[in-house]
DNA sequence: ATGAAAGCGCTAACAG
DNA sequence: CTGTTAGCGCTTTCAT
């Protein structure tokens, strides 16, 4: 590939001059500017961003760590994030941590070595907590770590909404399936909100945690299966993601449990499909677009050194989307 | 951040020596090696990969261009790809082209400027075809461009399988919804295979194309809606992605069309949810894992300069997964 | 076994 | 308005 030097020689000027027209800095006569432009054209010159990054100490790269981009929620989130980032000239380095401590650490090291300007973490395990003392802008999603800014949706409120909805729909025997509560994610507050709220109604839900491998469908199915077998009396179920809700549907279909007549179901996230399938999934909608925009804005501010006055917690509202996996008003018993 | 120079000073050696222990090259006494190691520890030194890339002319970065990572198929694909890449020390730069010509070009320029070692294109528009004369390793997914290696699944066969299945299930009035055929993607062969095959049965399907904005749910819904309104006789429908199949389900639910009794439906991709929902979606499964591994292997070979003997087309088999949106054997009329 | 020096491609004073 | 020079952090001959 042509370098700035090649362009300079072809145009009969020095590299400084070429650099000037490249960056629109300082005075250049139209004549030389045109000569340089022409040389660039002819050589199909493309400035080497690696060299620029080295010089400027600014890579315009952001590290994005998610548990897995294959999960629809993180896919949408990453999409929005990348859209905002690229609109501002930032590129995204994609990392799938699989919620694995060692991998997370390796990715963080990798991102530091590659001198990304900032890191957006949608994933962190227990161990990574004390590990993040990189004097580098970070923002987390749904994970509070010390003095690191965090954007999340109102998980507690999401749990409350689900609880109130099931209670209002007449459920008496309620269960809840959530991710591993040991992972210390704000998502756990969904469970807290749900349980706290139900207790106000004098109800005590059965709570089941999924294993450490948070994205193993087979394990999920097994957990759902034994819950419904051991507790056939359950008539209301709140799960912590739409994906799990679908697995509940599968198990129910196999067991002949009708939704919502015998079991009312509420998911979390509101991924696009939830609106399309039959019965439509009642779920708690997270404001993905706002969350990703906010996360980007924060990291950009941090990079620009304007992070001082930013609050650490950014909690965005959620809302319950009522569809057909919970009973319709007319059918209320 | 500490530089190699800081380490050298702290250890009382020159940068050359530090570089040596960093790269395990040449002779170093154990004594100095340890001194250097210690200094690195104390300074929390992390080699600057940007400087290394500049020097080595090798960034260990791969550009990944997809229409949108928010689509479950590309999400899964990108996940697998990143898994293979990171296992071999490569990083992934994520680009969402939105199937927009201008954006694609910009991304390609960006990737060239950033000196990625190779590009994996899961997206290309008409215009980008002649644009790709970057003397850089590329592999495409589902898109044949001149002398560029391409991995795809057997799209034509996918169409054939769908046609045979619908015909065997007794459908007489068949329709097909596909992406924009102008986009010259191998995915179009699904339509060809489908139509060719049906004609052998003396059937002529109605073919409806989606608009240019391939991922606009509202538009999809509208297209599906008018197809089913204008052709109430349709009893078999093959759509080119599971996501569209779900929208068909929504429209059918609204119109009171029962699946599979009145309308049999086949999707494409076999995203995870398709197995869980009720009725389970009959669909054509693409071997995502193999396709991503192959794509990575090819790009790696290309980067290593061993691409000469590689064939240009890599077509992997698909298979039909029969579920409940097509009639069960026992119910055959 | 270690060091000195040049250079990767680019930017940024400082001259003139 | 343009050129000279130094340097970003690292690797790599070539000496010693």
């Amino acid at each position: 590939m042509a370098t700035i030097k090649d362009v300079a020689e072809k145009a009969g000027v020095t590299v400084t001059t070429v650099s000037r027209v490249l960056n629109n800095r300082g005075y250049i006569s139209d004549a030389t500017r045109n000569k340089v432009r022409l040389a660039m054209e002819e050589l199909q010159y493309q400035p080497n961003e690696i060299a620029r990054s080295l010089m400027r100490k600014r890579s315009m790269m952001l590290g994005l760590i998610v548990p897995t981009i294959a999960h629809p929620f993180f896919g949408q989130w990453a999409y929005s994030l990348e859209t905002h980032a690229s609109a501002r000239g930032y590129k995204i380095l994609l990392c799938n941590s699989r919620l694995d401590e060692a991998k997370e650490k390796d990715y963080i090291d990798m991102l530091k070595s590659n001198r990304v300007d900032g890191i957006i973490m949608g994933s962190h395990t227990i161990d990574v907590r004390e590990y993040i003392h990189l004097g580098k802008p970070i923002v987390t999603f749904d994970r509070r770590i010390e003095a690191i800014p965090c954007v999340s949706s109102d998980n507690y409120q999401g749990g409350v909404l689900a609880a109130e909805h099931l209670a209002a729909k007449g459920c008496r025997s309620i269960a809840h399936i959530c991710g591993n509560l040991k992972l210390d994610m704000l998502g756990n507050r969904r469970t807290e909100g749900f349980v706290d709220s139900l207790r106000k109604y004098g109800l005590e839900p059965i709570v089941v945690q999924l294993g450490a491998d948070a994205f193993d469908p087979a394990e999920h199915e097994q957990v759902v299966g034994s819950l419904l077998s051991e507790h056939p009396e359950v008539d209301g179920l709140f799960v912590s993601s739409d994906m799990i809700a679908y697995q509940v549907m599968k198990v129910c279909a196999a067991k002949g449990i009708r939704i919502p007549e015998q079991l009312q179901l509420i998911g979390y996230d509101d991924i696009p499909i939830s609106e399309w399938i039959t019965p439509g999934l009642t779920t708690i909608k997270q404001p993905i677009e706002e969350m990703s925009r906010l996360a980007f804005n924060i990291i950009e501010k941090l990079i620009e050194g304007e992070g001082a006055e930013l609050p650490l917690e950014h909690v965005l509202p959620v809302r319950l989307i009522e569809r057909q996996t919970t009973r319709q008003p007319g059918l209320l018993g």
Side-chain angles (χ1 to χ4, degrees), chain A:
Chain A
M1 300 213 68
T3 75
I4 199 174
K5 207 172 164 189
D6 300 326
V7 176
E9 279 169 12
K10 181 140 210 153
V13 296
T14 66
V15 293
T16 314
T17 307
V18 178
S19 175
R20 284 210 181 88
V21 355
L22 215 52
N23 300 287
N24 279 313
R25 245 189 276 291
Y27 295 96
I28 324 162
S29 71
D30 284 353
T32 46
R33 188 196 307 276
N34 288 334
K35 272 194 307 188
V36 171
R37 288 252 164 85
L38 194 68
M40 286 178 170
E41 278 290 302
E42 288 175 0
L43 293 171
Q44 299 236 56
Y45 173 68
Q46 300 208 238
N48 184 329
E49 289 297 331
I50 295 185
R52 287 178 144 183
S53 298
L54 181 59
M55 190 59 231
R56 299 179 176 156
K57 294 163 181 321
R58 199 89 147 51
S59 64
M60 295 308 281
M61 294 220 184
L62 263 25
L64 175 63
I65 309 183
V66 293
T68 162
I69 195 74
H71 191 289
F73 176 80
F74 286 106
Q76 273 192 273
W77 193 63
Y79 173 80
S80 299
L81 216 36
E82 194 275 336
T83 301
H84 291 116
S86 75
R88 304 282 299 167
Y90 285 93
K91 306 129 216 168
I92 297 286
L93 230 62
L94 177 66
C95 310
N96 293 287
S97 75
R98 269 141 271 184
L99 251 30
D100 173 326
E101 292 173 15
K103 285 216 165 60
E104 262 177 16
K105 288 184 181 177
D106 288 349
Y107 275 125
I108 292 175
D109 278 340
M110 183 276 274
L111 294 173
K112 286 167 82 171
S113 290
N114 281 275
R115 302 299 192 264
V116 296
D117 293 337
I119 298 180
I120 300 166
M121 295 199 58
S123 162
H124 92 100
T125 54
I126 326 167
D127 263 37
V128 97
R129 167 165 247 134
E130 70 263 29
Y131 188 75
I132 313 189
H133 293 300
L134 26 60
K136 207 177 264 303
I138 307 195
V139 42
T140 63
F141 167 69
D142 248 15
R143 320 288 200 272
R144 278 292 291 123
I145 311 181
E146 298 159 35
I148 298 173
C150 165
V151 356
S152 69
S153 63
D154 193 340
N155 288 287
Y156 189 90
Q157 177 65 5
V160 170
L161 290 176
E164 287 177 347
H165 192 69
L166 288 181
K169 294 295 184 183
C171 297
R172 305 301 306 159
S173 180
I174 297 178
H176 172 55
I177 299 176
C178 58
N180 193 323
L181 297 176
K182 288 212 186 86
L183 280 176
D184 186 27
M185 311 180 341
L186 292 181
N188 296 353
R189 295 200 184 155
R190 297 172 194 175
T191 302
E192 294 169 23
F194 188 67
V195 173
D196 287 358
S197 182
L198 280 182
R199 284 189 182 145
K200 289 190 186 148
Y201 292 92
L203 297 169
E204 186 67 34
I206 300 160
V207 174
V208 181
Q209 292 179 46
L210 294 171
D213 186 353
F215 300 100
D216 175 17
E219 195 248 33
H220 290 186
E221 201 174 320
Q222 194 268 317
V223 168
V224 172
S226 49
L227 170 67
L228 294 181
S229 296
E230 290 165 23
H231 300 279
E233 75 281 8
V234 167
D235 58 0
L237 179 55
F238 170 47
V239 298
S240 63
S241 93
D242 285 1
M243 292 295 270
I244 301 173
Y246 293 120
Q247 295 184 287
V248 170
M249 288 184 177
K250 179 185 178 185
V251 170
C252 286
K255 286 190 189 296
I257 300 173
R258 282 173 305 144
I259 297 175
E261 292 81 358
Q262 291 169 263
L263 177 69
Q264 300 194 60
L265 179 63
I266 302 184
Y268 211 103
D269 289 343
D270 192 31
I271 64 178
I273 289 173
S274 299
E275 184 197 337
W276 301 333
I277 61 158
T278 307
L281 180 63
T282 294
T283 190
I284 308 292
K285 185 187 192 64
Q286 300 203 62
I288 294 195
E289 172 57 26
E290 289 84 340
M291 290 190 302
S292 61
R293 185 180 33 205
L294 189 54
F296 175 74
N297 287 344
I298 292 173
I299 203 79
E300 194 179 25
K301 280 230 166 47
L302 249 27
I303 291 170
E304 245 112 59
E306 306 160 17
E309 68 275 10
L310 285 176
L312 287 182
E313 287 211 38
H314 302 259
V315 181
L316 270 43
V318 294
R319 59 200 179 87
L320 184 137
I321 309 287
E322 182 170 359
R323 299 206 181 92
Q324 293 91 47
T325 55
T326 48
R327 274 189 215 131
Q328 296 310 290
L331 304 173
L332 251 174

